[in-house]
Amino acid sequence: MTPLIDGLQYANWSERIFRQMRAGGVDAVHVTVTYHETFRETVQVIERWNRWFERFPELIFPGRSAADVTRARETGRTAIFFGAQNPSCIEDDIGLVEVLHTLGLRFMQLSYNNQSLLASGCYEDDDTGLTRMGRAVVAEMNRVGLVVDMSHSGERSTLEAIEQSSRPIAITHANPARWHPARRNKSDTVLRALAGSGGMLGFSVYPHHLKGGSACRLQGYCEMIARTADLMGIERVGIGTDLCQDQPDSVVEWMRVGRWTKAPDYGEGSADAPGFPPMPDWFADNRDFGRIAEGLRATGMDAAEVAAVMGGNWLRFFETGFGAAAPGRT
Amino acid sequence: MTPLIDGLQYANWSERIFRQMRAGGVDAVHVTVTYHETFRETVQVIERWNRWFERFPELIFPGRSAADVTRARETGRTAIFFGAQNPSCIEDDIGLVEVLHTLGLRFMQLSYNNQSLLASGCYEDDDTGLTRMGRAVVAEMNRVGLVVDMSHSGERSTLEAIEQSSRPIAITHANPARWHPARRNKSDTVLRALAGSGGMLGFSVYPHHLKGGSACRLQGYCEMIARTADLMGIERVGIGTDLCQDQPDSVVEWMRVGRWTKAPDYGEGSADAPGFPPMPDWFADNRDFGRIAEGLRATGMDAAEVAAVMGGNWLRFFETGFGAAAPGRT
């Protein structure tokens, strides 16, 4: 049976949410563990996860390889795969790529809205592509099996990452700009290059990425997925809800502002609506994936296609994405 | 065939030394990666090891479990197991115990000569035993499979660690005080308690731990081992050379002084002889283990006993020491 995998969540984690994952039959989730945190601060977040793994072993466990998704399904639990939305966690130290991979990191964005040491973010005026360190780090990520994620990066940086990376990359949580021209959504050029290189797009349910925002209807969302599958190939797309359940607005402020400015920055929001937007009524939490699956069937997809989008494609991507590039003898 | 395992080394690592390990048929070594280093500094040392693993995959690889010792033997390499000689690396954060275990740490001393947050060192005037944090950390080390090492701790702290620990502990590099009454060597009381709890003693070749120092003869060393095996049981003893090959004297200064004092502290040395003492002529590097094995045969041990001391006992200890205490479902 095909697994159910979410390509990105960043919730205010709790037993309640872990139980909702089980109720929703979610086999694996890529969870964000860090934005602007230093390495040491990121390790503290991993420590918090270790406590949750210790407290709730019947609900969740650390995911390291694609085999853990199968194990999750077989044991009725959810495998948790760590990811970084910004490379602050590796500081200026390429050696931390392997260290964080050993600690469970499986995705890392090269930038988050702003310029980073590695690449430009999608909110910068000028996107100068991958930096010198960016190219070195992509090669190191390729070597150890840490997936390059360009969800919050600029167009040129994204295209260069696709080109530079010897292994397929991911855009774990975004939608096509053609459907909803938000700064965070991706052009057809990016989507075609991503698909052509064997990469994956995870469709976001975060309201700022949706046509109509919080009022977006399920049907429109699912039709967008079907059209994008036509463009990219059905095997290149999955779900990446960007679910930020139960988070206080202070968290979205940290995501946008970090420590890089003293002035407010509203990112995709605005001064009038600085907080997290309300989720669409058809996707409130992990128990609602079945609705998306039904919505996809209603667009005319067959059962195999729906299963591929809901997790089969991510599973295949995990199978080739997370191991060492040249296993060698170690 | 029984493996050859060294219970402690802290060399100035190089390709030359890794090749000597191979020439000496050394299947596994517990290497020190940290003394007074903070967590972040310890991670930098691990990063350096990761580069060595990347550069010399035909010589060394990271050891994580007892099975890696067998794998080392089968593939003609040396498995490297990390250890800490002081708990500075976990700072004041018990969550770092599991994090460092994930990064490969398999031994941690609760103190190094001085008082630590966890226990008293063997050079303090008063040994107050395990601290509150010390008891908590021992329980956490037991849970994740990080071996408690009391090589540099005081007598009371050592006895309390043996008592408090739910799993056997180790003194990876020391000798009996009865043979040579150095501050770092251990009383019969400690050795009996260690053996009675299923723990292990690794016999040191560091001259300050030897009767006669650098001039100690192989025969005397091996007879000491045989007598200690009579006291503790042949299955409770192994080798832990404390080989500090090719290190500049600045390293022994760091080991002794760290950042805790501005005055010189000579530890086991003296103002006249502040540096590393010369090794005895029968043990210069990893190619000399065969001499110790021969010396043990000469004391009257049979081949099986010699094999147990040279690695079989450590292998058995690794088998039960490094895994999670209650594997549970993760």
Side-chain angles (χ1 to χ4, degrees):
Chain A
M1 194 172 154
T2 316
L4 176 52
I5 301 178
D6 193 357
L8 194 114
Q9 292 190 19
Y10 182 62
N12 188 2
W13 308 106
S14 64
E15 178 175 359
R16 191 171 76 92
I17 293 178
F18 300 143
R19 292 199 181 279
Q20 288 173 348
M21 286 179 180
R22 297 316 316 140
V26 180
D27 298 299
V29 181
H30 161 212
V31 307
T32 295
V33 293
T34 180
Y35 290 88
H36 310 287
E37 287 83 354
T38 63
F39 172 69
R40 183 65 183 88
E41 290 167 341
T42 300
V43 166
Q44 282 184 278
V45 177
I46 292 173
E47 291 174 42
R48 213 178 309 148
W49 271 107
N50 284 342
R51 292 293 80 76
W52 285 318
F53 294 135
E54 188 182 351
R55 283 178 59 200
F56 306 113
E58 75 288 4
L59 299 175
I60 55 170
F61 68 96
R64 296 291 189 258
S65 68
D68 287 327
V69 180
T70 308
R71 192 155 68 100
R73 168 135 291 212
E74 288 170 357
T75 58
R77 297 180 294 161
T78 303
I80 303 293
F81 293 85
F82 297 153
Q85 292 215 24
N86 198 43
S88 303
C89 53
I90 65 161
E91 301 174 354
D92 63 352
D93 181 357
I94 196 169
L96 291 177
V97 170
E98 182 168 6
V99 165
L100 282 163
H101 184 268
T102 302
L103 291 175
L105 205 73
R106 289 297 177 271
F107 293 89
M108 186 171 78
Q109 290 182 191
L110 301 191
S111 56
Y112 183 86
N113 298 356
N114 285 10
Q115 179 68 40
S116 75
L117 294 182
L118 310 183
S120 297
C122 62
Y123 279 81
E124 290 290 354
D125 295 332
D126 292 313
D127 179 352
T128 51
L130 298 196
T131 63
R132 301 175 73 205
M133 184 178 178
R135 291 191 293 273
V137 166
V138 166
E140 179 70 355
M141 292 171 75
N142 289 161
R143 185 181 75 83
V144 303
L146 180 55
V147 174
V148 173
D149 183 354
M150 296 304 276
S151 296
H152 282 256
S153 297
E155 171 119 354
R156 177 178 161 192
S157 289
T158 303
L159 292 171
E160 289 188 15
I162 291 167
E163 175 72 25
Q164 281 278 327
S165 180
S166 63
R167 305 172 78 167
I169 78 160
I171 292 173
T172 59
H173 57 304
N175 293 323
R178 197 218 305 228
W179 178 62
H180 176 56
R183 204 92 176 237
R184 275 271 285 102
N185 284 340
K186 306 304 174 191
S187 72
D188 283 4
T189 306
V190 163
L191 298 180
R192 278 202 198 90
L194 181 67
S197 64
M200 278 283 293
L201 173 68
F203 294 105
S204 170
V205 190
Y206 190 64
H208 291 312
H209 308 153
L210 300 177
K211 186 175 180 174
S214 301
C216 176
R217 305 308 308 151
L218 176 62
Q219 188 187 352
Y221 177 77
C222 290
E223 281 169 359
M224 175 275 292
I225 292 179
R227 294 298 73 75
T228 312
D230 292 341
L231 178 78
M232 297 182 66
I234 186 78
E235 72 282 10
R236 301 269 76 90
V237 298
I239 304 295
T241 62
D242 205 1
L243 178 68
C244 295
Q245 193 181 343
D246 296 346
Q247 292 284 22
D249 288 344
S250 58
V251 165
V252 76
E253 192 183 323
W254 168 250
M255 288 153 67
R256 290 168 180 163
V257 174
R259 285 178 282 241
W260 65 269
T261 178
K262 298 192 290 183
D265 181 86
Y266 299 110
E268 302 174 281
S270 62
D272 291 345
F276 281 108
M279 291 296 280
D281 58 11
W282 45 270
F283 195 85
D285 61 46
N286 280 279
R287 294 167 298 186
D288 290 333
F289 283 100
R291 292 186 179 172
I292 297 176
E294 283 168 29
L296 293 175
R297 273 314 282 272
T299 68
M301 283 190 194
D302 65 26
E305 289 171 327
V306 172
V309 175
M310 297 306 295
N313 291 336
W314 275 128
L315 179 62
R316 196 193 53 246
F317 187 83
F318 286 13
E319 280 165 359
T320 55
F322 295 161
R329 301 179 63 191
T330 68
Chain B
M1 194 172 156
T2 317
L4 176 52
I5 301 178
D6 194 357
L8 194 114
Q9 293 189 20
Y10 183 62
N12 188 3
W13 309 105
S14 64
E15 179 175 356
R16 191 172 76 92
I17 292 176
F18 300 144
R19 291 199 181 280
Q20 288 173 349
M21 286 178 180
R22 297 318 315 140
V26 180
D27 298 299
V29 181
H30 161 211
V31 307
T32 296
V33 293
T34 180
Y35 289 88
H36 309 288
E37 286 82 355
T38 63
F39 173 70
R40 184 65 184 88
E41 291 167 340
T42 301
V43 167
Q44 282 184 280
V45 177
I46 292 173
E47 291 174 42
R48 213 177 311 147
W49 271 107
N50 284 342
R51 291 294 81 77
W52 285 319
F53 294 136
E54 189 182 350
R55 283 177 60 201
F56 307 113
E58 76 287 5
L59 300 176
I60 54 169
F61 68 96
R64 296 290 189 259
S65 68
D68 287 327
V69 180
T70 308
R71 192 156 68 98
R73 167 136 292 211
E74 288 170 357
T75 58
R77 297 181 294 162
T78 303
I80 303 292
F81 293 85
F82 297 152
Q85 291 214 27
N86 197 44
S88 303
C89 54
I90 66 162
E91 299 174 355
D92 63 351
D93 181 357
I94 196 169
L96 291 178
V97 170
E98 183 167 5
V99 165
L100 282 164
H101 185 268
T102 302
L103 291 176
L105 205 72
R106 290 296 176 272
F107 292 89
M108 186 171 78
Q109 290 181 192
L110 301 190
S111 56
Y112 183 87
N113 298 356
N114 285 11
Q115 179 68 41
S116 76
L117 295 181
L118 311 183
S120 297
C122 61
Y123 279 82
E124 291 289 356
D125 295 333
D126 291 314
D127 180 352
T128 52
L130 297 195
T131 63
R132 302 175 72 205
M133 184 176 178
R135 291 191 293 272
V137 166
V138 166
E140 179 69 356
M141 292 171 75
N142 289 160
R143 185 181 75 83
V144 303
L146 180 55
V147 174
V148 173
D149 183 354
M150 297 304 275
S151 297
H152 283 256
S153 297
E155 171 119 352
R156 177 176 161 193
S157 289
T158 303
L159 292 171
E160 288 188 16
I162 291 167
E163 176 70 26
Q164 281 278 328
S165 180
S166 63
R167 305 173 77 167
I169 78 160
I171 292 174
T172 59
H173 57 304
N175 293 322
R178 193 218 306 226
W179 179 63
H180 176 56
R183 204 92 176 238
R184 273 271 284 101
N185 284 340
K186 306 304 173 191
S187 73
D188 284 3
T189 306
V190 162
L191 297 181
R192 278 202 197 89
L194 181 67
S197 64
M200 278 284 292
L201 172 68
F203 294 105
S204 169
V205 190
Y206 191 64
H208 291 312
H209 309 154
L210 300 177
K211 185 175 180 174
S214 300
C216 175
R217 306 308 308 149
L218 176 62
Q219 188 187 351
Y221 177 76
C222 291
E223 280 168 1
M224 174 275 292
I225 292 179
R227 295 297 74 74
T228 311
D230 292 341
L231 177 79
M232 297 181 65
I234 185 78
E235 72 282 11
R236 301 270 76 90
V237 297
I239 304 295
T241 61
D242 204 3
L243 178 68
C244 294
Q245 193 182 343
D246 295 347
Q247 293 283 21
D249 287 344
S250 57
V251 164
V252 75
E253 192 182 322
W254 168 250
M255 288 154 68
R256 290 170 180 162
V257 174
R259 285 177 283 239
W260 64 270
T261 178
K262 298 191 288 182
D265 181 86
Y266 299 111
E268 301 174 281
S270 62
D272 291 344
F276 281 108
M279 291 295 280
D281 58 11
W282 46 268
F283 195 85
D285 61 48
N286 279 280
R287 294 168 297 185
D288 290 332
F289 284 100
R291 292 187 178 170
I292 297 177
E294 282 168 30
L296 292 175
R297 272 315 282 271
T299 68
M301 283 189 195
D302 67 25
E305 289 171 326
V306 171
V309 175
M310 298 306 295
N313 292 335
W314 275 127
L315 179 62
R316 196 193 54 246
F317 187 83
F318 286 14
E319 280 165 359
T320 56
F322 295 160
R329 300 179 63 190
T330 67

